[in-house]
């Protein structure tokens, strides 16, 4: 296993920039996610790592090895394609054995390794079938086995679950997690599904319009997004606009139309001086209805909408300048109704102060 | 400046080749029709509308084209409907049977039909013995016979086009109409029919162009009052008399206009193929009456389609067959002669070699072009694609006439293009140019179905470029390529129009011209010619069967997918 480092990589098609000056490092054993909306360049980046396209500028290194000019078949990566790309003229077994074939393994080794790989993805009883005789989920498993069997330095997954229906997607998510856990391969995984990324990644890189926005662990990314885009793309959030009124050593005060907000300075993405315009992100779980109208971070609000979801109730309430979404546990007692005048309390631990947008 | 890569060089070479061997001859023909002895004149063009013989020929040829097209449609449309929409035992067999008429070109079939349907042929003798009146089966001077042969040869072309088009009509479109209250007939008229029109027009125009410009069947029937035969008759004085050029221009302009018209119609109403297996959903199991109708139609069609084959076989085997319903004595002597007779044996060998070489050229060029057209789309490839396809619209006799006008005096050192000295180079080029569209379309379809990720997946797993080509790309497109190659080969084997124009020396005659010459020999000529036709047919059938074995049940799909 190697670490994959990408340094100042840019890619242009003609004059259209697809990726601009991107730098990141994937450590051995990472299940590294490239996350971003469609068209943000994440698949292009993956294809550059695989060697199907060369960067216009910058370097891609596998360990100490500069990959510029190295053709795809000399890179020892194992890629799982979005459409699986199982060769229709070969059986499941032949598909999986192909990579071993071209590497010149002996017949016995080939047989053994193929069986092992198919067992790993629980497809060993389908070895003699052809791809068109398999369901989508089964094809996915075979595609995974085909990529893993050659013991690649890095496994590349290009939106591997996007062609599966919702139920299968969750099942395969667990499957990929299990396989990564069992084998400890370095994997780079492209997706636009933030839930997939949060639930699987050991580390994730958020991209937008060909630019790297943030590289972090899922928990860090969710709790401490560095930009409004990151706050909105990863998880649900409420966005408000205001101005910093005070910044002493520990506490930051922000004036919002909805009311005043006090929070630890650690909740700010960077140092803000009094007077700077900021955008505030508040996660739904940081909002609660409170009976007590007094105290810090409590704002008056009107309930606009309630959605009954069983164990939780989803609320939309209107403050003076914002529409806030939150959920409350479905505990005994009177439920809020649209039109009710209430107070909402903000938990500063779930607040993030960001550059104004 | 961009680097000169392999694909650019290849595109350049093919463009140059088609420019010289497709566009240039046509341009020369057009010019020579209006430019004679140093000045421009439309006097010869006017002959088309003035000269009674030419006017008659034009009218007859147009009639042959139209009747053949209409009759082909009458046969092919119900067959296509039945085969696409109904599930019944024996349907896979039908796709095979569809090929049977294609292995028997009209001019070979004519040899047998003449014997059976002539004024004193088997049918009339049979009628006479039954006390029925004699019938002029072949029609005024043979036109009916020509039409019949063209139809029996060409209706599969219509069938394949219509069936492909029909099976790509998404049943959801029909269901949507039914859902809002349309009756079945309304659905057919307002939804299905318009959607399958592109396929129908594509097929109809191909049938028209073939029938309209085929000189083979009329020559065997000695039916001279039609354009292709008149062109052939004017070859000898083409240098002194520009009327030959005028006739060629007429045939060319008519064919190309119909071709462009069909392309225009097709372009406007392209059917967007829908999701997977859409056509399967609309397959129905027929009722008892339905079964009866289906099998009756299939049996009748197959029996009629076999008439040329059977009659040619009878002629080839008959020792004496004169003024009797069936031959009096049978013999295999003519088959022996067909493989030993100097002219017959050498022509079969020559045709095989010429077809093989031109097929090889087409496979190499066609696969490369198919790849570039799919994977390296640009304005240039689109334009070149249209140019390649234009060859479909140019009749063999017209192209060959253009070659004579252009290349008769061209030679480089000892290598010469003059067909009077050596016809092989021009024949090979002519066959290749004429059949290249089939090969390009076949490999184009292959590459289009082949997702690029199949190749990328193999590269990713460590396969070198050559290995990917050998183990992934080629196996995945091979079925299409083989199908295209066989089509190319079989069409070239019995190519008539260009062969009779370009082959001048007897020792260089391919099958078509040898049969033409033998047919005019009084005593045993037609019998030897028929035996040759049967041998050619057997070769074709074997090659089709071999392909069928290699490809398994994918064979039928291939001819449909085209």
């Amino acid at each position: 296993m190697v670490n994959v480092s990408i340094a100042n990589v840019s890619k242009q098609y003609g004059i259209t920039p697809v990726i601009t000056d991107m730098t990141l490092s994937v450590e051995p054993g990472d299940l590294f996610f490239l996350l971003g909306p469609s068209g943000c360049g994440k698949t292009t980046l993956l294809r550059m790592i695989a060697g199907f396209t060369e960067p216009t500028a910058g370097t891609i290194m596998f360990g100490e090895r500069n990959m510029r000019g190295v053709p795809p078949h000399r890179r020892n990566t194992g890629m799982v394609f979005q459409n699986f790309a199982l060769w229709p003229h070969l059986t499941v077994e032949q598909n999986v054995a192909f990579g071993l074939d071209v590497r010149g393994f002996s017949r016995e080794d080939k047989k053994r390794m193929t069986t092992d790989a198919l067992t790993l993805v629980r497809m060993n009883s389908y070895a003699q079938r052809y791809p068109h005789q398999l369901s989508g989920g089964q094809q996915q498993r075979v595609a995974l086995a085909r990529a893993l069997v050659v013991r690649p330095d890095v496994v590349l997954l290009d939106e591997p679950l996007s062609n599966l229906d919702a139920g299968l997607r969750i099942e395969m998510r667990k499957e990929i997690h299990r396989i990564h856990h069992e084998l400890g391969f370095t994997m780079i995984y492209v997706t636009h599904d933030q839930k997939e990324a949060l639930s699987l990644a050991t580390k994730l890189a958020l991209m937008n319009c060909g630019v790297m926005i943030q590289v972090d662990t899922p928990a860090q990314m969710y709790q401490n997004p560095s930009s409004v885009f990151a706050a909105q793309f990863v998880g649900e959030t409420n966005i408000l606009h205001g101005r910093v009124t005070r910044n002493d050593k520990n506490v930051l005060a922000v004036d919002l139309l909805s009311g005043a907000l006090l929070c630890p300075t650690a909740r700010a993405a960077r140092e803000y001086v009094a007077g700077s315009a900021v955008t505030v992100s508040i996660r739904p779980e940081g909002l609660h209805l409170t009976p007590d109208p007094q105290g810090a971070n409590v704002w008056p609000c009107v309930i606009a909408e309630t959605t009954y979801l069983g164990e939780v109730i989803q609320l939309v309430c209107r403050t003076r300048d914002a529409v806030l979404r939150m959920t409350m546990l479905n505990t005994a007692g009177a439920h809020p109704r649209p039109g009710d005048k209430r107070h909402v309390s903000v938990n500063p631990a779930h607040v993030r102060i960001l550059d104004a947008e | 400046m961009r680097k000169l890569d392999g694909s650019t060089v290849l595109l350049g070479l093919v463009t140059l080749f088609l420019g010289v061997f497709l566009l240039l001859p046509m341009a020369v023909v057009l010019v020579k029709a209006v430019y004679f002895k140093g000045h421009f004149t439309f006097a010869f063009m006017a002959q088309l509308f003035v000269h009674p013989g030419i006017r008659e020929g034009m009218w007859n040829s147009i009639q042959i084209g139209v009747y053949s097209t209409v009759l082909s449609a009458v046969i092919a449309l119900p067959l296509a409907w039945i085969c696409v929409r109904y599930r019944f035992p024996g349907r896979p067999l039908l796709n095979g049977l569809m090929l049977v008429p294609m292995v028997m070109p009209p001019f070979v079939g004519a040899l047998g039909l003449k014997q059976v349907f002539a004024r004193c042929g088997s049918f009339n003798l049979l009628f006479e013995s039954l006390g029925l009146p004699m019938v002029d089966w072949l029609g005024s001077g043979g036109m009916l016979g020509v039409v019949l042969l063209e139809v029996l040869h060409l209706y599969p072309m219509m069938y394949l086009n219509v069936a492909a088009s029909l099976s790509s009509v998404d049943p959801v479109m029909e269901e949507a109409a039914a859902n809002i209250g349309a009756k079945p007939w309304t659905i057919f008229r307002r939804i299905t029919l318009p959607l399958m029109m592109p396929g129908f027009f594509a097929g109809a125009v191909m049938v028209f162009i073939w029938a309209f410009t085929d000189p083979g069947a009329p020559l065997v029937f000695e039916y001279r009052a039609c354009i292709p035969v008149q062109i052939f008759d004017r070859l000898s004085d083409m240098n002194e008399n520009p009327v030959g050029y005028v006739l060629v221009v007429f045939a060319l302009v008519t064919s190309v206009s119909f071709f462009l018209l069909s392309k225009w119609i097709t372009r406007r109403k392209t059917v967007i193929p829908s999701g997977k297996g859409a056509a399967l959903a609309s397959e129905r199991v027929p009722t008892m009456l339905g079964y009866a109708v289906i099998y009756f139609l299939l049996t009748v069609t197959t029996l009629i389609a076999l008439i040329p084959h059977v009659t040619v076989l009878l002629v080839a085997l008959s020792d004496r067959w004169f003024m009797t319903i069936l031959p009096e004595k049978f013999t295999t002597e003519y088959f022996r002669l067909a493989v030993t007779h100097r002219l017959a044996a050498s022509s079969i060998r020559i045709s095989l070699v010429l077809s093989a070489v031109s097929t090889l050229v087409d496979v190499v060029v066609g696969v490369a072009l198919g790849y570039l057209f799919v994977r390296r789309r640009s304005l240039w490839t689109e334009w070149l694609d249209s140019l390649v396809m234009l060859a479909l619209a140019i009749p063999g006799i017209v192209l060959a006439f253009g070659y004579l006008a252009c290349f008769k005096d061209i030679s480089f050192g000892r290598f010469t293009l003059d067909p009077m000295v050596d016809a092989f180079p021009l024949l090979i080029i002519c066959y290749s140019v004429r059949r290249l569209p089939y090969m390009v379309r076949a490999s184009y379809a292959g590459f289009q179905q082949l997702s690029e990720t199949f190749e990328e997946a193999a590269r990713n797993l460590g396969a070198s470029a050559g290995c990917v080509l050998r183990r992934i790309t080629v196996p995945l497109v091979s079925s299409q390529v083989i199908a295209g190659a066989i089509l190319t080969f079989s069409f070239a084997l019995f190519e008539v129009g260009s062969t009779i124009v370009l082959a001048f020396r007897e020792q260089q005659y391919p099958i078509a011209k040898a049969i033409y010459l033998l047919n005019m020999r009084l005593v045993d000529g037609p019998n030897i010619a028929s035996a040759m036709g049967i041998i050619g047919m057997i070769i074709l059938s074997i090659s089709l069967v071999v392909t069928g074995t290699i490809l398994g049940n994918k064979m039928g799909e291939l001819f449909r997918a085209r």
Side-chain angles (χ1 to χ4, degrees), chain A residues 29-263:
Chain A
D30 264 348
L31 176 45
F32 194 101
F33 268 67
L34 296 174
L35 175 69
S38 23
C40 72
K42 53 196 191 300
T43 292
T44 305
L45 183 60
L46 195 76
R47 291 172 60 81
M48 287 195 292
I49 297 170
F52 295 127
T53 45
E54 284 284 339
T56 315
T59 50
I60 296 175
M61 310 271 287
F62 285 13
E64 294 303 304
R65 196 166 154 227
N66 188 337
M67 299 314 276
R68 179 161 289 277
V70 178
H73 63 286
R74 303 248 171 77
R75 295 198 177 200
N76 199 31
T77 65
M79 183 147 169
V80 177
F81 291 81
Q82 192 172 0
N83 63 359
F84 315 141
L86 296 180
W87 302 300
H89 63 305
L90 303 179
T91 61
V92 164
E93 190 176 28
Q94 289 167 331
N95 262 283
V96 175
F98 184 90
L100 302 172
D101 245 9
V102 299
R103 282 169 170 73
F105 279 85
S106 73
R107 181 189 288 258
E108 296 74 46
D109 285 348
K110 235 162 50 185
K111 182 81 196 158
R112 183 177 47 77
M113 293 167 78
T114 305
T115 310
D116 286 353
L118 284 174
T119 310
L120 178 73
V121 296
R122 299 172 180 160
M123 284 295 292
N124 44 337
S125 52
Y126 296 87
Q128 301 312 321
R129 300 253 186 123
Y130 281 92
H132 66 90
Q133 297 168 309
L134 304 179
S135 70
Q138 292 170 331
Q139 292 185 22
Q140 175 63 271
R141 288 163 186 271
V142 176
L144 201 55
R146 186 178 69 179
L148 296 175
V149 76
V150 296
R151 317 231 160 250
D153 289 332
V154 49
V155 181
L156 307 173
L157 303 109
D158 183 10
E159 308 224 10
L161 307 185
S162 63
N163 275 350
L164 303 179
D165 60 48
L168 264 178
R169 219 163 15 221
I170 291 174
E171 185 192 323
M172 283 310 294
R173 220 190 267 174
K174 288 184 188 147
E175 204 61 11
I176 290 173
H177 184 78
R178 173 180 69 83
I179 287 166
H180 176 252
H181 195 72
E182 277 179 27
L183 303 180
F185 275 117
T186 309
M187 292 181 165
I188 301 179
Y189 188 128
V190 161
T191 186
H192 60 256
D193 181 342
Q194 47 103 8
K195 282 197 179 132
E196 218 165 280
L198 286 179
S199 61
L200 281 176
T202 57
K203 213 166 180 196
L204 75 101
L206 181 67
M207 297 170 62
N208 190 29
C209 300
V211 179
M212 188 64 68
I213 304 291
Q214 190 174 353
V215 184
D216 246 321
T217 62
Q220 280 291 324
M221 183 84 78
Y222 185 78
Q223 276 160 22
N224 302 321
S226 64
S227 64
V228 175
F229 175 80
Q232 283 180 312
F233 198 84
V234 180
E236 295 268 301
T237 198
N238 297 291
I239 295 293
L240 296 92
H241 303 282
R243 194 167 290 279
V244 175
T245 50
R246 183 159 55 85
N247 182 0
D248 60 36
K249 230 180 10 220
N250 299 315
V251 179
L252 195 69
V254 182
D255 192 21
L256 301 161
L257 266 178
S258 305
L261 177 69
L262 294 174
C263 65

Side-chain angles (χ1 to χ4, degrees), chain A residues 292-326:
Chain A
D292 179 12
Q294 302 303 310
N297 298 339
V298 174
W299 307 332
C301 70
V302 179
I303 306 295
E305 216 181 289
T306 64
T307 311
Y308 190 81
L309 290 177
E311 79 271 30
V312 292
I313 294 168
Q314 224 167 49
L315 294 179
V316 178
C317 69
R318 205 169 278 134
T319 60
R320 224 179 312 160
D321 73 327
V323 174
L324 302 177
R325 287 162 197 286
M326 65 183 109

Side-chain angles (χ1 to χ4, degrees), chain B residues 267 287 379 444:
Chain B
R267 175 120 336 148
T287 58
L379 262 179
Y444 186 93

Side-chain angles (χ1 to χ4, degrees), chain B residues 85-339:
Chain B
R85 290 304 170 87
Y86 289 95
R87 195 170 25 223
F88 54 90
R91 190 176 60 170
L93 188 71
L94 198 70
N95 276 317
L97 280 178
M98 274 300 154
L99 303 171
V100 171
M102 294 184 101
V103 303
M104 170 67 88
F107 74 99
V108 175
L111 297 168
L113 236 55
K114 219 166 71 167
Q115 182 75 31
V116 183
F117 287 109
R119 185 150 282 283
C120 296
S122 307
F123 269 83
N124 276 344
L125 293 173
L126 179 67
F127 275 36
E128 196 185 25
S129 65
L130 295 173
L132 294 167
M134 302 249 250
V135 179
D136 181 13
W137 293 98
L138 299 182
S140 39
M143 186 201 282
L144 236 142
V146 173
V147 169
L148 183 65
L149 281 166
E150 300 297 347
V151 169
L152 291 184
H153 178 56
L154 295 173
Y155 80 84
M157 203 175 284
M158 180 88 91
Y159 166 84
L160 291 170
N161 271 299
V162 173
S165 178
L166 194 57
S167 61
S168 71
V169 173
D170 191 339
V172 169
M173 309 230 179
E174 294 171 355
E175 283 160 10
N179 175 257
I180 55 174
K183 292 193 187 71
W185 170 244
T186 314
I187 297 175
F188 176 77
R189 196 168 46 83
R190 304 266 310 265
I191 309 291
T192 319
L193 199 62
L195 286 174
M196 63 190 258
M197 268 307 152
F200 172 72
F201 276 113
V205 163
M206 291 326 294
V207 171
F208 177 84
I209 293 176
W210 275 63
F212 171 66
T213 61
D214 172 37
L219 272 176
V220 173
F221 280 136
E222 285 167 64
Y223 179 73
R224 305 205 92 84
C226 61
I227 294 293
V229 176
Q230 288 178 342
I231 291 176
F232 181 66
D233 285 343
R234 279 168 208 275
L235 272 175
S236 48
D237 63 347
M238 64 186 280
N239 289 326
E240 290 79 46
N241 186 352
V243 170
Y245 289 102
V246 170
L247 293 174
V248 166
V249 167
F250 169 71
L252 177 66
V253 170
T254 311
S255 299
V256 172
S257 330
F258 272 99
F259 180 73
L260 294 179
L261 181 73
S262 93
K263 275 199 86 158
W264 181 67
I265 290 171
T266 317
R267 175 120 336 148
R268 280 172 60 226
K269 295 179 191 157
T270 309
V271 176
I272 301 149
S274 69
K276 47 186 174 181
L280 291 178
S282 67
E283 281 183 7
R284 283 181 290 244
V285 176
T287 58
M288 281 318 280
L289 181 68
Y291 272 120
V293 172
I294 287 173
Y295 284 117
F296 175 75
L297 269 180
L298 295 184
T299 315
V300 170
T301 314
T302 311
L303 285 181
I304 294 178
L306 282 174
I307 291 176
H309 304 65
V310 174
T311 53
V312 171
L313 186 64
L314 280 178
V315 173
L317 285 171
S318 64
D319 193 9
R320 277 191 53 199
W321 193 2
F322 182 67
M323 296 299 276
T324 52
I325 297 169
L326 284 175
E328 287 172 61
K329 260 174 76 183
F330 288 97
T331 175
T332 53
E333 171 65 9
Y334 299 118
F335 279 96
R336 197 186 61 76
L337 278 174
V339 290

